[in-house]
């Protein structure tokens, strides 16, 4: 069965520092991968997606992610974090079965220190 | 509308009561999904609709849960005889179709069972 692992439950960085959030997936075929962000009391906002092609994908708010098939990873990065990036981040993969069911990781809560 | 709209945003009810949660997807989106977000279980897929049809109900936690969609638009998720373990945030998402299009989420309904 497909699964997504986000090894870090909480991460704290200083404003202006670089950020990398880890995501590993288990999937037999080529995965469709997503990163979503959730601010308190809000729904999930799509940051970026990978379907095929270039393994480095750019998203909104200055985020990017790199798909590495050999490592079954899809890590999210940002070169310089802003205080407004404090939120919870979810990695997700589309399950097989043809109906676009998303399987989410447990999430990583990001805190940003001034 | 511009985004996925869910109502109510918050619902507090007594154990044993029935509740109805509403989702209004983005106009033109044929696929609609319900997820549940709870502390213990993270983000879980519940059910999806393609048009008015829900081919797979296996993600619903129990037979107290049901969902319907009429006119290919608004969907309601109904929980009968609510239990305390039903307390969670219920998220709705929609996408253009089932072809691995990105899902766009509403802000959710926070359900609290006393």
């Amino acid at each position: 069965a497909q699964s997504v692992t986000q090894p870090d439950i909480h991460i704290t960085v200083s404003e202006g520092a670089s950020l990398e959030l880890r995501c590993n997936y288990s999937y037999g075929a080529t995965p469709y991968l997503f990163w979503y962000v959730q601010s308190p009391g809000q729904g999930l906002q799509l940051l970026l997606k990978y379907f095929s092609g270039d393994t480095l994908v750019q998203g909104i708010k200055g985020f990017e992610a790199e798909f590495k098939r050999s490592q079954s990873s899809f890590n999210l990065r940002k070169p310089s974090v802003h205080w407004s990036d404090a939120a919870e981040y979810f990695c997700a993969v589309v399950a097989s079965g043809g109906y676009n069911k998303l399987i989410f990781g447990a999430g990583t809560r990001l805190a940003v220190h001034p | 509308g511009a985004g996925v709209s869910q109502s109510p945003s918050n619902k507090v009810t007594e154990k044993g009561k029935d509740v109805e949660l509403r989702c209004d997807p983005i106009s033109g989106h044929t696929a609609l999904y319900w997820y549940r977000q709870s502390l213990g279980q993270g983000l879980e897929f519940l059910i999806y609709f393609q048009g008015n049809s829900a081919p797979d109900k296996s993600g619903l936690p129990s037979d107290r849960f049901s969902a319907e969609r009429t006119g290919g638009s608004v969907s309601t998720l109904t929980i009968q005889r609510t239990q305390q373990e039903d307390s969670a945030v219920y998220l709705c998402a929609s996408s253009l179709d089932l072809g691995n299009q990105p899902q766009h989420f509403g802000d959710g309904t926070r359900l609290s069972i006393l």
Side-chain angles (χ1 to χ4, degrees):
Chain A
Q2 299 91 22
S3 65
V4 176
T5 302
Q6 293 180 247
D8 305 305
I9 298 174
H10 295 279
I11 283 184
T12 300
V13 299
S14 298
E15 191 168 17
S18 63
L19 173 70
E20 183 168 27
L21 302 182
R22 295 183 290 165
C23 172
N24 293 97
Y25 65 89
S26 171
Y27 194 84
T30 300
Y32 296 101
L33 294 158
F34 303 84
W35 275 99
Y36 284 88
V37 61
Q38 186 178 36
S39 298
Q42 304 291 312
L44 300 170
Q45 181 182 22
L46 179 68
L47 286 176
L48 47 78
K49 63 185 185 291
Y50 173 77
F51 287 168
S52 65
D54 193 345
T55 57
L56 183 64
V57 292
Q58 302 297 320
I60 62 171
K61 304 184 179 186
F63 285 93
E64 66 178 26
E66 186 170 13
F67 170 62
K68 293 185 178 180
R69 184 187 300 275
S70 62
Q71 297 177 20
S72 296
S73 70
F74 188 57
N75 293 350
L76 183 71
R77 301 194 294 248
K78 186 169 185 177
S80 178
V81 170
H82 188 262
W83 64 267
S84 61
D85 293 324
E88 189 152 21
Y89 291 80
F90 293 92
C91 182
V93 65
V94 172
S96 61
Y99 58 83
N100 213 9
K101 166 185 173 179
L102 287 175
I103 296 174
F104 287 91
T108 297
R109 185 168 297 278
L110 174 67
V112 180
H113 280 181
Chain B
V4 177
S5 177
Q6 292 189 247
S7 61
S9 54
N10 285 281
K11 177 73 176 178
V12 181
T13 192
E14 294 178 346
K15 177 182 170 181
K17 299 286 189 184
D18 296 352
V19 295
E20 200 171 88
L21 312 180
R22 175 188 167 104
C23 172
D24 198 347
I26 293 172
S27 178
H29 281 195
T30 62
L32 184 148
Y33 314 82
W34 284 98
Y35 293 85
R36 179 169 73 171
Q37 185 175 26
S38 57
L39 282 177
Q41 302 297 323
L43 275 155
E44 306 171 87
F45 173 85
L46 297 179
I47 192 170
Y48 82 100
F49 289 87
Q50 174 60 22
N52 293 333
S53 174
D56 183 2
K57 298 180 172 63
S58 63
L60 296 176
S62 77
D63 58 8
R64 297 184 293 103
F65 287 71
S66 63
E68 66 175 12
R69 188 180 186 194
T70 55
S73 181
V74 172
S75 175
T76 54
L77 178 68
T78 301
I79 309 173
Q80 295 178 308
R81 305 180 303 280
T82 52
Q83 303 293 313
Q84 287 190 329
E85 61 263 27
D86 300 333
S87 296
V89 176
Y90 290 82
L91 292 165
C92 177
S94 69
S95 63
L96 273 173
D97 56 35
L98 292 180
N100 294 320
Q101 295 292 328
Q103 294 178 29
H104 300 270
F105 283 80
D107 286 342
T109 294
R110 182 174 296 278
L111 177 64
S112 300
I113 310 299
L114 302 179

